Amino acid sequence: MDIVNILRDKILNSVNQLVDERNLKQPINMNNIVVERPKKQHQGDYSTNAAMVLGKALSSNPRDLGEIISLRLRDSELISNISLDGPGFLNITISPKFWDRLIYEINSSNNRYGEESFGGGKKVNLEYVSANPTGPLHLGHVRGAVFGDVLSRLLEFVGFKVTREYYVNDGGTQIGILVRTIYLRYLEKLGEVIEFPDESYPGDYLIPIAEKLIDKYGNKLKNLSEVERDNIIRSFSIEHMMEIIKADLKSLNIEMDNFFSEQAMIDSNAIDKSISALKDKGLIYTGIIDAPKGKIYADWKAREQLLFKSTEFDDDIDRPIKKSDGSWTYFAPDLAYHADKLNRGFDVVIDVLGADHSGYVSRLKAVINAFAEKNVEFEVKLVQLVKLIKNKKVLKMSKRAGDYILIQDLLKEVSSDVIRFVMLSRNNDIPLDFDIDLMLSKSKDNPVFYVNYAHARIVSVFKRAEELNIWPLSKIENFEKKNYTYMDSELALLKKLSEWPNVVKQSARYHEPHRIVYYLSELASSFHSLYQSSTDSIPYRFIVEGSKELCIKRLVLAKSTQIVIKNGLSILGIVPLDEMY
RNA sequence: GGUGACGUAGCUCAGCUGGAUAGAGCACCAGAUUUCGGCUCUGGGGGUCGAGGGUUCGAAUCCUUCCGUCAUCGCCA
């Protein structure tokens, strides 16, 4: 258990004692009791709202309760002072021993510092990317991909069992268009003059697939029946498109566990099965839905169609599952797909979708509610658009061929580590600007540089220390008994380091990996600040010749910082730089 | 028209899910260092948290009504 949690435990113990004595009937929610870093310096090192939470439950004065709690906590060897402030905050000043223990804990846990177990081995299905196999990934997909990948690492770090899943839309009408386009490319390569219809994919990226078709089949496809030919091209092109997408993902350090094929699901009759299951529950009927009011549909005709009664589960209208021509809507396979996820026994189901799917969320929730037999946590994370900026201009990503920015092209300019970091530098539901020039700049404006630079500085300090034969240490076992005194800028860094487990916990609990990025920037800032102060005064240097004990204290502090930076970046899927480029 | 998200400093955004005097970076102003790494650090000004109402000891956070932006509401996935 991390040191801040130990502190929290002590507080909870005192609260529990008090609850027993006051003979409290209703249970109080201990999760509401937090131990946090206060904003202001004079408010101590940590503070807790315990007395106020308890005050509410007991409906008595928080300040009186605070007095009692603080009296009980005073004995703890970790605490040097407690004061009761404001409406009932307990502001705690930590004894120096606390920091030695923190450092010991970080170094002995090393790459497991911050690890949690509250996931309890629960099974999570995390679906992300799920781009159609009709073209390479674009920047919007990348944001979702990175988000999902980092969330999966984060959830595993706190004890969940995560299945990373990609839903392959290989069954819809888009694929028909893909097949047709590739066939036209194929004919074009065979020397025919082709005019491409509006309903086709214009990008050059399909040409290599057409070439591969020729390698394999020569001009034989021309002689086959349309059905036979389409079948061949269909599986051939999906396979190759998915290879391109997988390669893109791999170059971003992203690997999926499972590719779930829509077509395979359709072939297994899963849609009919789940629809009839819903029918049995009385959730399917034939009816007419109204045209949306604020929008003009020139060719709107009221039609009877097959509907899913999602309003039963708080959706605002019932949702069509068959088109007028009798084929399934997009929603129908997705409905079956989510039923399938539940069948596989997941405890947590998370979809990472583009923000243009926002209108889709409530019907998916309805599906989950209609099918779930046990308590399943379902969440849709919507990822907003990414604007690519170069030379202070927005690069438009239209579907016309020339404007399509390939991931591989972007990777020629910036590393995948940079892309990953930037993609998480905003909350997922806020649009993001990806400024290429900024990401190439070597200054603190560039957050990736800033964090890496802190790490590189640490590595460089160790190099120097090794030359002087004071590093590495053989062991740090007694560090918790050192009783060092720490100066202000060291304390600031230590406090930042102590926040790490809580940052992990919060990010994982709320599925918000961007918090890790913010934290790392703050941590780097604390480190740079300390590093800088060493130029102001010799005692602040990491390597002080003639004082081995001081060196050790400072080097272990640097080491602790390195560990946390590494752990943080590792959740982001980034390897820190030892030397700046 | 319905639904959802968003609206916080000049700009870009955090804000630990109801806590203390609302924070950070950029930009601007003033300084320090250039030695372990190009850089970085320190300080300063700057706010009606879109607007009104409500809930309570306490609201940027919860409820409600408006305003604005975006997305979405049937054959595009």
mmCIF file of all heavy atoms in Angstrom, chain A residues 1-2 5 8 31 112 114-124 151 153-161 347-348 350 377 500-512 516 571:
data_model
loop_
_atom_site.group_PDB
_atom_site.id
_atom_site.type_symbol
_atom_site.label_atom_id
_atom_site.label_comp_id
_atom_site.label_asym_id
_atom_site.label_seq_id
_atom_site.Cartn_x
_atom_site.Cartn_y
_atom_site.Cartn_z
ATOM 1 N N MET A 1 0.838 -1.202 0.000
ATOM 2 C CA MET A 1 0.000 0.000 0.000
ATOM 3 C C MET A 1 0.872 1.251 0.000
ATOM 4 O O MET A 1 1.888 1.306 0.681
ATOM 5 C CB MET A 1 -0.911 -0.012 1.228
ATOM 6 C CG MET A 1 -1.927 1.070 1.160
ATOM 7 S SD MET A 1 -3.102 1.227 2.499
ATOM 8 C CE MET A 1 -3.221 -0.336 3.266
ATOM 9 N N ASP A 2 0.460 2.244 -0.753
ATOM 10 C CA ASP A 2 1.304 3.431 -0.799
ATOM 11 C C ASP A 2 1.114 4.289 0.445
ATOM 12 O O ASP A 2 0.132 4.169 1.170
ATOM 13 C CB ASP A 2 1.051 4.233 -2.089
ATOM 14 C CG ASP A 2 -0.310 4.902 -2.088
ATOM 15 O OD1 ASP A 2 -0.382 6.042 -1.608
ATOM 16 O OD2 ASP A 2 -1.278 4.266 -2.554
ATOM 17 N N ASN A 5 -1.971 6.232 1.204
ATOM 18 C CA ASN A 5 -3.063 5.350 1.582
ATOM 19 C C ASN A 5 -2.964 4.905 3.035
ATOM 20 O O ASN A 5 -3.978 4.712 3.709
ATOM 21 C CB ASN A 5 -3.064 4.120 0.692
ATOM 22 C CG ASN A 5 -4.303 4.076 -0.178
ATOM 23 O OD1 ASN A 5 -5.365 4.474 0.270
ATOM 24 N ND2 ASN A 5 -4.146 3.611 -1.386
ATOM 25 N N ARG A 8 -4.318 7.613 4.922
ATOM 26 C CA ARG A 8 -5.773 7.623 4.785
ATOM 27 C C ARG A 8 -6.393 6.552 5.690
ATOM 28 O O ARG A 8 -7.425 6.788 6.334
ATOM 29 C CB ARG A 8 -6.150 7.377 3.326
ATOM 30 C CG ARG A 8 -7.648 7.422 3.075
ATOM 31 C CD ARG A 8 -7.966 7.531 1.598
ATOM 32 N NE ARG A 8 -9.403 7.608 1.388
ATOM 33 C CZ ARG A 8 -10.196 6.551 1.254
ATOM 34 N NH1 ARG A 8 -9.689 5.344 1.295
ATOM 35 N NH2 ARG A 8 -11.486 6.711 1.086
ATOM 36 N N ASN A 31 -15.897 6.261 0.898
ATOM 37 C CA ASN A 31 -15.245 6.724 -0.336
ATOM 38 C C ASN A 31 -15.261 8.238 -0.467
ATOM 39 O O ASN A 31 -14.472 8.821 -1.197
ATOM 40 C CB ASN A 31 -15.936 6.110 -1.555
ATOM 41 C CG ASN A 31 -15.505 4.681 -1.758
ATOM 42 O OD1 ASN A 31 -14.399 4.308 -1.375
ATOM 43 N ND2 ASN A 31 -16.375 3.888 -2.337
ATOM 44 N N ARG A 112 6.535 -1.011 -10.365
ATOM 45 C CA ARG A 112 5.195 -1.316 -9.871
ATOM 46 C C ARG A 112 4.681 -0.229 -8.933
ATOM 47 O O ARG A 112 3.586 -0.356 -8.379
ATOM 48 C CB ARG A 112 5.183 -2.671 -9.169
ATOM 49 C CG ARG A 112 5.700 -3.774 -10.083
ATOM 50 C CD ARG A 112 5.577 -5.116 -9.444
ATOM 51 N NE ARG A 112 4.177 -5.440 -9.158
ATOM 52 C CZ ARG A 112 3.779 -6.628 -8.741
ATOM 53 N NH1 ARG A 112 4.665 -7.599 -8.577
ATOM 54 N NH2 ARG A 112 2.515 -6.864 -8.509
ATOM 55 N N GLY A 114 2.674 2.604 -7.835
ATOM 56 C CA GLY A 114 1.432 3.164 -8.363
ATOM 57 C C GLY A 114 0.456 2.090 -8.794
ATOM 58 O O GLY A 114 -0.714 2.357 -9.038
ATOM 59 N N GLU A 115 0.959 0.872 -8.891
ATOM 60 C CA GLU A 115 0.091 -0.232 -9.288
ATOM 61 C C GLU A 115 -1.012 -0.418 -8.253
ATOM 62 O O GLU A 115 -0.795 -0.231 -7.066
ATOM 63 C CB GLU A 115 0.936 -1.507 -9.374
ATOM 64 C CG GLU A 115 0.334 -2.597 -10.208
ATOM 65 C CD GLU A 115 1.294 -3.777 -10.321
ATOM 66 O OE1 GLU A 115 1.555 -4.446 -9.309
ATOM 67 O OE2 GLU A 115 1.791 -4.008 -11.426
ATOM 68 N N GLU A 116 -2.183 -0.794 -8.750
ATOM 69 C CA GLU A 116 -3.317 -0.981 -7.850
ATOM 70 C C GLU A 116 -3.966 -2.321 -8.156
ATOM 71 O O GLU A 116 -3.694 -2.943 -9.176
ATOM 72 C CB GLU A 116 -4.360 0.118 -8.090
ATOM 73 C CG GLU A 116 -3.888 1.519 -7.773
ATOM 74 C CD GLU A 116 -4.060 1.866 -6.316
ATOM 75 O OE1 GLU A 116 -4.832 1.167 -5.632
ATOM 76 O OE2 GLU A 116 -3.422 2.828 -5.866
ATOM 77 N N SER A 117 -4.852 -2.732 -7.287
ATOM 78 C CA SER A 117 -5.503 -4.018 -7.522
ATOM 79 C C SER A 117 -7.022 -3.914 -7.499
ATOM 80 O O SER A 117 -7.713 -4.914 -7.511
ATOM 81 C CB SER A 117 -5.035 -5.018 -6.466
ATOM 82 O OG SER A 117 -5.369 -4.510 -5.192
ATOM 83 N N PHE A 118 -7.534 -2.686 -7.488
ATOM 84 C CA PHE A 118 -8.980 -2.594 -7.288
ATOM 85 C C PHE A 118 -9.791 -3.125 -8.468
ATOM 86 O O PHE A 118 -10.985 -3.338 -8.354
ATOM 87 C CB PHE A 118 -9.413 -1.171 -6.897
ATOM 88 C CG PHE A 118 -9.258 -0.133 -7.970
ATOM 89 C CD1 PHE A 118 -10.229 0.024 -8.942
ATOM 90 C CD2 PHE A 118 -8.151 0.714 -7.974
ATOM 91 C CE1 PHE A 118 -10.096 1.000 -9.917
ATOM 92 C CE2 PHE A 118 -8.018 1.687 -8.952
ATOM 93 C CZ PHE A 118 -8.981 1.819 -9.925
ATOM 94 N N GLY A 119 -9.116 -3.344 -9.595
ATOM 95 C CA GLY A 119 -9.814 -3.962 -10.723
ATOM 96 C C GLY A 119 -10.277 -5.367 -10.396
ATOM 97 O O GLY A 119 -11.253 -5.862 -10.976
ATOM 98 N N GLY A 120 -9.561 -6.000 -9.472
ATOM 99 C CA GLY A 120 -9.977 -7.308 -8.979
ATOM 100 C C GLY A 120 -10.119 -8.377 -10.056
ATOM 101 O O GLY A 120 -10.913 -9.293 -9.921
ATOM 102 N N GLY A 121 -9.355 -8.257 -11.134
ATOM 103 C CA GLY A 121 -9.408 -9.282 -12.175
ATOM 104 C C GLY A 121 -10.687 -9.273 -12.987
ATOM 105 O O GLY A 121 -10.962 -10.187 -13.755
ATOM 106 N N LYS A 122 -11.486 -8.224 -12.844
ATOM 107 C CA LYS A 122 -12.720 -8.135 -13.627
ATOM 108 C C LYS A 122 -12.402 -8.049 -15.112
ATOM 109 O O LYS A 122 -11.433 -7.419 -15.516
ATOM 110 C CB LYS A 122 -13.509 -6.893 -13.212
ATOM 111 C CG LYS A 122 -14.298 -7.074 -11.956
ATOM 112 C CD LYS A 122 -15.261 -5.908 -11.803
ATOM 113 C CE LYS A 122 -15.853 -5.874 -10.414
ATOM 114 N NZ LYS A 122 -16.290 -4.522 -10.054
ATOM 115 N N LYS A 123 -13.275 -8.654 -15.906
ATOM 116 C CA LYS A 123 -13.050 -8.694 -17.350
ATOM 117 C C LYS A 123 -13.612 -7.452 -18.030
ATOM 118 O O LYS A 123 -14.781 -7.132 -17.885
ATOM 119 C CB LYS A 123 -13.720 -9.935 -17.943
ATOM 120 C CG LYS A 123 -13.001 -11.231 -17.589
ATOM 121 C CD LYS A 123 -13.793 -12.432 -18.081
ATOM 122 C CE LYS A 123 -13.834 -12.487 -19.603
ATOM 123 N NZ LYS A 123 -14.730 -13.563 -20.086
ATOM 124 N N VAL A 124 -12.750 -6.786 -18.770
ATOM 125 C CA VAL A 124 -13.154 -5.581 -19.484
ATOM 126 C C VAL A 124 -13.075 -5.828 -20.979
ATOM 127 O O VAL A 124 -12.076 -6.337 -21.475
ATOM 128 C CB VAL A 124 -12.224 -4.392 -19.148
ATOM 129 C CG1 VAL A 124 -12.656 -3.142 -19.911
ATOM 130 C CG2 VAL A 124 -12.208 -4.121 -17.662
ATOM 131 N N LEU A 151 -5.876 3.565 -22.304
ATOM 132 C CA LEU A 151 -6.860 3.167 -21.301
ATOM 133 C C LEU A 151 -6.691 1.686 -20.948
ATOM 134 O O LEU A 151 -6.796 1.295 -19.784
ATOM 135 C CB LEU A 151 -8.278 3.448 -21.805
ATOM 136 C CG LEU A 151 -9.407 3.136 -20.827
ATOM 137 C CD1 LEU A 151 -9.218 3.885 -19.509
ATOM 138 C CD2 LEU A 151 -10.768 3.488 -21.424
ATOM 139 N N ARG A 153 -3.930 -0.083 -21.034
ATOM 140 C CA ARG A 153 -2.738 -0.232 -20.188
ATOM 141 C C ARG A 153 -3.027 0.231 -18.769
ATOM 142 O O ARG A 153 -2.609 -0.370 -17.782
ATOM 143 C CB ARG A 153 -1.576 0.595 -20.740
ATOM 144 C CG ARG A 153 -1.032 0.084 -22.062
ATOM 145 C CD ARG A 153 -0.153 1.149 -22.708
ATOM 146 N NE ARG A 153 0.105 0.838 -24.114
ATOM 147 C CZ ARG A 153 1.224 0.306 -24.553
ATOM 148 N NH1 ARG A 153 2.208 0.026 -23.731
ATOM 149 N NH2 ARG A 153 1.390 0.054 -25.831
ATOM 150 N N LEU A 154 -3.761 1.339 -18.691
ATOM 151 C CA LEU A 154 -4.104 1.907 -17.397
ATOM 152 C C LEU A 154 -4.966 0.935 -16.594
ATOM 153 O O LEU A 154 -4.717 0.684 -15.407
ATOM 154 C CB LEU A 154 -4.846 3.220 -17.638
ATOM 155 C CG LEU A 154 -5.263 4.077 -16.469
ATOM 156 C CD1 LEU A 154 -4.066 4.440 -15.613
ATOM 157 C CD2 LEU A 154 -5.930 5.350 -16.981
ATOM 158 N N LEU A 155 -5.967 0.360 -17.244
ATOM 159 C CA LEU A 155 -6.867 -0.547 -16.541
ATOM 160 C C LEU A 155 -6.131 -1.807 -16.094
ATOM 161 O O LEU A 155 -6.398 -2.349 -15.021
ATOM 162 C CB LEU A 155 -8.065 -0.904 -17.429
ATOM 163 C CG LEU A 155 -9.040 0.258 -17.675
ATOM 164 C CD1 LEU A 155 -10.129 -0.136 -18.661
ATOM 165 C CD2 LEU A 155 -9.671 0.731 -16.371
ATOM 166 N N GLU A 156 -5.202 -2.251 -16.916
ATOM 167 C CA GLU A 156 -4.424 -3.423 -16.501
ATOM 168 C C GLU A 156 -3.540 -3.089 -15.304
ATOM 169 O O GLU A 156 -3.339 -3.913 -14.418
ATOM 170 C CB GLU A 156 -3.578 -3.932 -17.674
ATOM 171 C CG GLU A 156 -4.423 -4.723 -18.663
ATOM 172 C CD GLU A 156 -3.657 -5.217 -19.875
ATOM 173 O OE1 GLU A 156 -2.547 -4.698 -20.131
ATOM 174 O OE2 GLU A 156 -4.169 -6.122 -20.554
ATOM 175 N N PHE A 157 -3.035 -1.876 -15.282
ATOM 176 C CA PHE A 157 -2.164 -1.439 -14.189
ATOM 177 C C PHE A 157 -2.914 -1.421 -12.855
ATOM 178 O O PHE A 157 -2.313 -1.510 -11.792
ATOM 179 C CB PHE A 157 -1.624 -0.043 -14.513
ATOM 180 C CG PHE A 157 -0.396 0.364 -13.726
ATOM 181 C CD1 PHE A 157 0.770 -0.385 -13.775
ATOM 182 C CD2 PHE A 157 -0.404 1.512 -12.950
ATOM 183 C CE1 PHE A 157 1.901 -0.008 -13.064
ATOM 184 C CE2 PHE A 157 0.725 1.903 -12.226
ATOM 185 C CZ PHE A 157 1.876 1.133 -12.288
ATOM 186 N N VAL A 158 -4.233 -1.311 -12.919
ATOM 187 C CA VAL A 158 -5.012 -1.302 -11.679
ATOM 188 C C VAL A 158 -5.796 -2.592 -11.495
ATOM 189 O O VAL A 158 -6.748 -2.650 -10.722
ATOM 190 C CB VAL A 158 -5.962 -0.089 -11.581
ATOM 191 C CG1 VAL A 158 -5.185 1.210 -11.623
ATOM 192 C CG2 VAL A 158 -7.001 -0.113 -12.687
ATOM 193 N N GLY A 159 -5.419 -3.626 -12.241
ATOM 194 C CA GLY A 159 -5.936 -4.946 -11.917
ATOM 195 C C GLY A 159 -7.109 -5.473 -12.715
ATOM 196 O O GLY A 159 -7.720 -6.464 -12.325
ATOM 197 N N PHE A 160 -7.441 -4.808 -13.823
ATOM 198 C CA PHE A 160 -8.484 -5.376 -14.684
ATOM 199 C C PHE A 160 -7.850 -6.314 -15.705
ATOM 200 O O PHE A 160 -6.657 -6.232 -15.998
ATOM 201 C CB PHE A 160 -9.241 -4.267 -15.428
ATOM 202 C CG PHE A 160 -10.147 -3.446 -14.552
ATOM 203 C CD1 PHE A 160 -9.697 -2.238 -14.006
ATOM 204 C CD2 PHE A 160 -11.437 -3.861 -14.282
ATOM 205 C CE1 PHE A 160 -10.521 -1.476 -13.206
ATOM 206 C CE2 PHE A 160 -12.274 -3.104 -13.483
ATOM 207 C CZ PHE A 160 -11.814 -1.907 -12.939
ATOM 208 N N LYS A 161 -8.693 -7.161 -16.242
ATOM 209 C CA LYS A 161 -8.267 -8.052 -17.314
ATOM 210 C C LYS A 161 -8.911 -7.526 -18.587
ATOM 211 O O LYS A 161 -10.132 -7.558 -18.726
ATOM 212 C CB LYS A 161 -8.759 -9.463 -16.981
ATOM 213 C CG LYS A 161 -8.458 -10.519 -17.975
ATOM 214 C CD LYS A 161 -7.298 -11.401 -17.497
ATOM 215 C CE LYS A 161 -6.865 -12.378 -18.583
ATOM 216 N NZ LYS A 161 -6.611 -11.756 -19.880
ATOM 217 N N ASP A 347 -17.487 -7.957 -17.466
ATOM 218 C CA ASP A 347 -18.058 -7.184 -16.363
ATOM 219 C C ASP A 347 -18.156 -5.712 -16.722
ATOM 220 O O ASP A 347 -19.004 -4.989 -16.213
ATOM 221 C CB ASP A 347 -17.184 -7.318 -15.112
ATOM 222 C CG ASP A 347 -16.985 -8.762 -14.732
ATOM 223 O OD1 ASP A 347 -17.975 -9.398 -14.353
ATOM 224 O OD2 ASP A 347 -15.849 -9.267 -14.845
ATOM 225 N N VAL A 348 -17.227 -5.287 -17.562
ATOM 226 C CA VAL A 348 -17.185 -3.891 -17.973
ATOM 227 C C VAL A 348 -17.080 -3.860 -19.491
ATOM 228 O O VAL A 348 -16.248 -4.567 -20.065
ATOM 229 C CB VAL A 348 -15.972 -3.151 -17.364
ATOM 230 C CG1 VAL A 348 -15.979 -1.690 -17.774
ATOM 231 C CG2 VAL A 348 -15.958 -3.283 -15.844
ATOM 232 N N ILE A 350 -16.628 -1.155 -22.611
ATOM 233 C CA ILE A 350 -16.353 0.239 -22.954
ATOM 234 C C ILE A 350 -16.206 0.348 -24.466
ATOM 235 O O ILE A 350 -15.477 -0.416 -25.083
ATOM 236 C CB ILE A 350 -15.052 0.739 -22.289
ATOM 237 C CG1 ILE A 350 -15.118 0.567 -20.769
ATOM 238 C CG2 ILE A 350 -14.792 2.199 -22.650
ATOM 239 C CD1 ILE A 350 -13.812 0.858 -20.058
ATOM 240 N N GLU A 377 -21.136 -2.878 -16.223
ATOM 241 C CA GLU A 377 -20.852 -1.453 -16.355
ATOM 242 C C GLU A 377 -20.598 -1.170 -17.817
ATOM 243 O O GLU A 377 -19.724 -1.779 -18.433
ATOM 244 C CB GLU A 377 -19.614 -1.109 -15.515
ATOM 245 C CG GLU A 377 -19.319 0.366 -15.464
ATOM 246 C CD GLU A 377 -17.944 0.646 -14.849
ATOM 247 O OE1 GLU A 377 -17.453 -0.211 -14.094
ATOM 248 O OE2 GLU A 377 -17.373 1.696 -15.168
ATOM 249 N N TRP A 500 1.348 10.231 -7.249
ATOM 250 C CA TRP A 500 1.243 9.326 -8.395
ATOM 251 C C TRP A 500 0.189 8.217 -8.230
ATOM 252 O O TRP A 500 -0.657 8.033 -9.112
ATOM 253 C CB TRP A 500 2.617 8.769 -8.750
ATOM 254 C CG TRP A 500 2.620 7.672 -9.766
ATOM 255 C CD1 TRP A 500 3.064 6.403 -9.591
ATOM 256 C CD2 TRP A 500 2.153 7.739 -11.136
ATOM 257 N NE1 TRP A 500 2.906 5.681 -10.737
ATOM 258 C CE2 TRP A 500 2.348 6.465 -11.706
ATOM 259 C CE3 TRP A 500 1.571 8.740 -11.920
ATOM 260 C CZ2 TRP A 500 1.996 6.161 -13.014
ATOM 261 C CZ3 TRP A 500 1.218 8.440 -13.236
ATOM 262 C CH2 TRP A 500 1.438 7.164 -13.765
ATOM 263 N N PRO A 501 0.204 7.466 -7.125
ATOM 264 C CA PRO A 501 -0.792 6.385 -7.026
ATOM 265 C C PRO A 501 -2.225 6.898 -7.126
ATOM 266 O O PRO A 501 -3.082 6.235 -7.705
ATOM 267 C CB PRO A 501 -0.523 5.786 -5.640
ATOM 268 C CG PRO A 501 0.892 6.124 -5.356
ATOM 269 C CD PRO A 501 1.105 7.475 -5.960
ATOM 270 N N ASN A 502 -2.449 8.064 -6.592
ATOM 271 C CA ASN A 502 -3.793 8.614 -6.657
ATOM 272 C C ASN A 502 -4.166 9.063 -8.073
ATOM 273 O O ASN A 502 -5.306 8.919 -8.508
ATOM 274 C CB ASN A 502 -3.928 9.778 -5.670
ATOM 275 C CG ASN A 502 -5.376 10.044 -5.334
ATOM 276 O OD1 ASN A 502 -6.155 9.100 -5.161
ATOM 277 N ND2 ASN A 502 -5.756 11.306 -5.284
ATOM 278 N N VAL A 503 -3.179 9.583 -8.788
ATOM 279 C CA VAL A 503 -3.421 9.957 -10.187
ATOM 280 C C VAL A 503 -3.812 8.715 -10.984
ATOM 281 O O VAL A 503 -4.773 8.736 -11.764
ATOM 282 C CB VAL A 503 -2.156 10.600 -10.801
ATOM 283 C CG1 VAL A 503 -2.310 10.753 -12.310
ATOM 284 C CG2 VAL A 503 -1.898 11.960 -10.166
ATOM 285 N N VAL A 504 -3.095 7.636 -10.759
ATOM 286 C CA VAL A 504 -3.408 6.378 -11.439
ATOM 287 C C VAL A 504 -4.832 5.951 -11.126
ATOM 288 O O VAL A 504 -5.628 5.617 -12.005
ATOM 289 C CB VAL A 504 -2.423 5.265 -11.013
ATOM 290 C CG1 VAL A 504 -2.895 3.907 -11.516
ATOM 291 C CG2 VAL A 504 -1.031 5.578 -11.514
ATOM 292 N N LYS A 505 -5.135 5.984 -9.841
ATOM 293 C CA LYS A 505 -6.442 5.523 -9.393
ATOM 294 C C LYS A 505 -7.566 6.331 -10.038
ATOM 295 O O LYS A 505 -8.525 5.793 -10.571
ATOM 296 C CB LYS A 505 -6.513 5.651 -7.863
ATOM 297 C CG LYS A 505 -7.422 4.651 -7.209
ATOM 298 C CD LYS A 505 -7.444 4.846 -5.699
ATOM 299 C CE LYS A 505 -6.070 4.680 -5.061
ATOM 300 N NZ LYS A 505 -6.060 5.064 -3.625
ATOM 301 N N GLN A 506 -7.418 7.642 -9.979
ATOM 302 C CA GLN A 506 -8.459 8.515 -10.512
ATOM 303 C C GLN A 506 -8.580 8.365 -12.026
ATOM 304 O O GLN A 506 -9.682 8.294 -12.570
ATOM 305 C CB GLN A 506 -8.166 9.976 -10.168
ATOM 306 C CG GLN A 506 -8.094 10.273 -8.686
ATOM 307 C CD GLN A 506 -9.428 10.147 -7.979
ATOM 308 O OE1 GLN A 506 -10.474 10.241 -8.598
ATOM 309 N NE2 GLN A 506 -9.394 9.902 -6.684
ATOM 310 N N SER A 507 -7.462 8.332 -12.706
ATOM 311 C CA SER A 507 -7.500 8.197 -14.170
ATOM 312 C C SER A 507 -8.196 6.914 -14.560
ATOM 313 O O SER A 507 -8.976 6.876 -15.508
ATOM 314 C CB SER A 507 -6.094 8.159 -14.764
ATOM 315 O OG SER A 507 -5.313 9.175 -14.259
ATOM 316 N N ALA A 508 -7.890 5.846 -13.829
ATOM 317 C CA ALA A 508 -8.456 4.546 -14.163
ATOM 318 C C ALA A 508 -9.936 4.516 -13.813
ATOM 319 O O ALA A 508 -10.766 4.038 -14.580
ATOM 320 C CB ALA A 508 -7.716 3.442 -13.434
ATOM 321 N N ARG A 509 -10.263 5.050 -12.675
ATOM 322 C CA ARG A 509 -11.655 4.994 -12.226
ATOM 323 C C ARG A 509 -12.572 5.744 -13.173
ATOM 324 O O ARG A 509 -13.663 5.299 -13.479
ATOM 325 C CB ARG A 509 -11.758 5.571 -10.812
ATOM 326 C CG ARG A 509 -13.157 5.531 -10.250
ATOM 327 C CD ARG A 509 -13.146 5.624 -8.742
ATOM 328 N NE ARG A 509 -12.625 4.405 -8.133
ATOM 329 C CZ ARG A 509 -12.053 4.366 -6.924
ATOM 330 N NH1 ARG A 509 -11.906 5.468 -6.228
ATOM 331 N NH2 ARG A 509 -11.610 3.235 -6.443
ATOM 332 N N TYR A 510 -12.137 6.893 -13.636
ATOM 333 C CA TYR A 510 -12.995 7.701 -14.495
ATOM 334 C C TYR A 510 -12.654 7.554 -15.969
ATOM 335 O O TYR A 510 -13.140 8.315 -16.799
ATOM 336 C CB TYR A 510 -12.937 9.169 -14.056
ATOM 337 C CG TYR A 510 -13.380 9.327 -12.625
ATOM 338 C CD1 TYR A 510 -12.490 9.722 -11.635
ATOM 339 C CD2 TYR A 510 -14.684 9.022 -12.273
ATOM 340 C CE1 TYR A 510 -12.899 9.826 -10.320
ATOM 341 C CE2 TYR A 510 -15.098 9.123 -10.951
ATOM 342 C CZ TYR A 510 -14.200 9.521 -9.985
ATOM 343 O OH TYR A 510 -14.608 9.620 -8.681
ATOM 344 N N HIS A 511 -11.801 6.600 -16.270
ATOM 345 C CA HIS A 511 -11.425 6.350 -17.663
ATOM 346 C C HIS A 511 -10.938 7.633 -18.329
ATOM 347 O O HIS A 511 -11.413 7.997 -19.405
ATOM 348 C CB HIS A 511 -12.599 5.749 -18.440
ATOM 349 C CG HIS A 511 -13.144 4.496 -17.797
ATOM 350 N ND1 HIS A 511 -14.453 4.099 -17.899
ATOM 351 C CD2 HIS A 511 -12.543 3.559 -17.033
ATOM 352 C CE1 HIS A 511 -14.634 2.974 -17.231
ATOM 353 N NE2 HIS A 511 -13.480 2.626 -16.679
ATOM 354 N N GLU A 512 -10.027 8.301 -17.666
ATOM 355 C CA GLU A 512 -9.531 9.573 -18.180
ATOM 356 C C GLU A 512 -8.009 9.594 -18.221
ATOM 357 O O GLU A 512 -7.348 10.176 -17.343
ATOM 358 C CB GLU A 512 -10.049 10.729 -17.302
ATOM 359 C CG GLU A 512 -11.546 10.925 -17.443
ATOM 360 C CD GLU A 512 -12.090 12.051 -16.584
ATOM 361 O OE1 GLU A 512 -11.366 12.574 -15.714
ATOM 362 O OE2 GLU A 512 -13.260 12.407 -16.785
ATOM 363 N N ILE A 516 -2.895 11.506 -16.714
ATOM 364 C CA ILE A 516 -1.504 11.054 -16.615
ATOM 365 C C ILE A 516 -0.583 12.062 -17.300
ATOM 366 O O ILE A 516 0.487 12.402 -16.788
ATOM 367 C CB ILE A 516 -1.338 9.676 -17.292
ATOM 368 C CG1 ILE A 516 -2.367 8.696 -16.759
ATOM 369 C CG2 ILE A 516 0.097 9.183 -17.184
ATOM 370 C CD1 ILE A 516 -1.893 7.723 -15.767
ATOM 371 N N ILE A 571 2.654 3.740 -19.130
ATOM 372 C CA ILE A 571 1.208 3.624 -19.314
ATOM 373 C C ILE A 571 0.786 4.311 -20.609
ATOM 374 O O ILE A 571 -0.114 3.865 -21.301
ATOM 375 C CB ILE A 571 0.459 4.220 -18.106
ATOM 376 C CG1 ILE A 571 0.660 3.310 -16.895
ATOM 377 C CG2 ILE A 571 -1.031 4.371 -18.393
ATOM 378 C CD1 ILE A 571 0.077 3.836 -15.616
#
